[in-house]
């Protein structure tokens, strides 16, 4: 058992990007921090997409609790914030205080230090969802930053020949990139009192979804990571990230 709800890794920028990048991963772990534990009847869900996003952990702000306990990538009023419909209110509040709020406070604190120009959220998804196979290999999710998402998608297609699609297997316009989008609309007071007030939104925000059977393959992941770094360094992406910041000032 691990008691902490979040890992905050080094905010240094070793890739030499000409802008400040902040990575997030809300579904990196299937841990149950103390005092919670996996019920015997639910252990069948270990190492599945229900418990975590397989292969998605990255140097960043990383949640250290299973999404089945509470989902850090959902707003407080989301019907899928808690996956167990039988939860009572006191138990829900305990989960929020022990996991959800510490994750977002840690992300807000790192954000305050880094002052990022671009927040990139990393997730993975199952290649077969309840009997429905998925063809898309990489999804680029966006809400407001359509030009940036389209540019990243096209470079994935050109460089890696990936089956890469916009807002698939779900859409950033429908709340599925809540965490990154929420922090991208920076409003420091909102995080202190935990209101849903949005700030000025001068940070570029994109979420990547990778098919987990590919992402858990070391060779594929190594190649994908290098291509992602090249894309993040590319002139079109740099220009769009900087344009977002300058247009909001």
């Amino acid at each position: 058992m691990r008691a902490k709800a979040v890992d905050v890794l080094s905010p240094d920028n070793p890739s030499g990007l000409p802008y400040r990048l902040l990575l997030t991963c809300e579904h990196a772990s299937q841990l149950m921090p103390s005092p919670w534990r996996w019920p015997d009847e639910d252990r069948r869900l270990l190492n599945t997409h229900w418990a975590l996003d397989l292969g998605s952990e990255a140097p960043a702000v990383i949640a250290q609790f299973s999404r089945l306990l509470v989902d850090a990538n959902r707003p407080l009023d989301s019907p899928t914030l808690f996956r167990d419909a039988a939860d009572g209110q006191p138990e829900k509040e305990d989960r929020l205080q022990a996991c959800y709020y510490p994750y977002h406070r840690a992300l807000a604190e790192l954000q305050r230090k880094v002052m990022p120009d671009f927040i990139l959220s990393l997730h993975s998804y199952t290649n077969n969802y309840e009997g429905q196979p998925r063809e898309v290999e990489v999804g680029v999710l966006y809400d407001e930053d359509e030009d940036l998402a389209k540019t990243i998608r096209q470079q994935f297609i050109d460089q890696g020949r990936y089956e890469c699609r916009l807002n698939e297997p779900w859409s950033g316009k429908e709340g599925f990139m809540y965490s990154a989008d929420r922090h991208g609309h920076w409003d420091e007071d909102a995080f202190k009192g935990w209101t849903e007030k949005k700030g000025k939104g001068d940070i570029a925000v994109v979420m990547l979804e990778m098919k987990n059977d590919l992402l858990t393959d070391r060779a594929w992941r190594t190649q994908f990571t290098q291509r992602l770094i090249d894309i993040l360094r590319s002139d079109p992406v740099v220009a769009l990230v900087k344009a977002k910041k300058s247009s909001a000032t």
Side-chain angles (χ1 to χ4, degrees):
M1 293 291 180
R2 296 175 61 175
K4 64 179 180 178
V6 58
D7 270 347
V8 180
L9 305 186
S10 172
D12 294 339
N13 199 359
S15 60
L17 293 171
Y19 54 83
R20 292 163 297 194
L21 177 68
L22 176 59
L23 301 180
T24 77
C25 192
E26 290 77 21
H27 300 154
S29 176
Q30 61 183 354
L31 292 171
M32 290 287 180
S34 180
W36 292 280
R37 65 178 181 82
W38 277 95
D40 290 341
E41 62 270 22
D42 290 337
R43 296 187 71 81
R44 62 186 175 82
L45 300 175
L46 283 166
N47 300 314
T48 73
H49 70 96
W50 291 107
L52 79 163
D53 280 2
L54 297 166
S56 62
E57 185 168 348
V61 181
I62 300 170
Q64 291 294 345
F65 52 88
S66 173
R67 64 194 301 179
L68 290 176
L69 193 63
V70 60
D71 195 331
N73 197 34
R74 297 291 185 272
L76 291 174
D77 61 355
S78 170
T80 58
L81 179 67
F82 302 98
R83 292 286 175 175
D84 186 352
D87 279 334
Q89 189 62 37
E91 172 68 10
K92 289 183 178 181
E93 185 61 29
D94 286 347
R95 294 184 186 191
L96 292 174
Q97 295 295 338
C99 300
Y100 187 92
Y101 293 139
Y103 175 82
H104 284 287
R105 288 182 184 126
L107 181 49
E109 181 61 30
L110 183 57
Q111 185 172 346
R112 187 179 295 111
K113 294 177 181 177
V114 175
M115 297 301 292
D117 304 306
F118 185 6
I119 295 177
L120 179 62
S121 185
L122 302 176
H123 289 250
S124 71
Y125 57 93
T126 180
N127 65 335
N128 190 302
Y129 184 72
E130 298 187 341
Q132 296 296 319
R134 287 166 165 160
E135 296 179 359
V136 59
E137 296 176 323
V138 179
V140 183
L141 277 61
Y142 72 93
D143 183 7
E144 297 177 356
D145 295 295
E146 182 175 2
D147 290 342
L148 178 60
K150 286 182 174 179
T151 298
I152 291 172
R153 172 186 179 265
Q154 191 58 52
Q155 291 203 40
F156 272 128
I157 293 172
D158 293 343
Q159 290 193 26
R161 308 298 184 213
Y162 298 104
E163 180 60 44
C164 184
R165 301 178 189 175
L166 293 171
N167 277 338
E168 288 194 34
W170 26 73
S171 174
K173 292 184 175 293
E174 297 175 356
F176 287 100
M177 50 184 283
Y178 166 79
S179 179
D181 184 61
R182 181 70 184 81
H183 286 266
H185 287 83
W186 176 253
D187 186 288
E188 191 168 354
D189 290 336
F191 290 104
K192 291 178 181 177
W194 218 266
T195 68
E196 287 299 323
K197 175 184 175 184
K198 282 192 174 183
K200 55 188 176 181
D202 61 349
I203 302 170
V205 179
V206 167
M207 189 167 104
L208 293 183
E209 287 273 8
M210 289 78 71
K211 197 161 64 164
N212 62 25
D213 61 329
L214 298 175
L215 196 58
T216 51
D217 178 86
R218 179 174 295 181
W220 189 94
R221 185 172 65 247
T222 299
Q223 184 182 66
F224 177 86
T225 300
Q226 185 56 57
R227 284 174 173 155
L228 174 59
I229 292 171
D230 291 342
I231 289 170
L232 294 176
R233 287 174 172 167
S234 69
D235 290 342
V237 168
V238 171
L240 287 167
V241 169
K242 289 187 174 181
K244 177 70 177 281
K245 179 68 72 172
S246 62
S247 66
T249 57

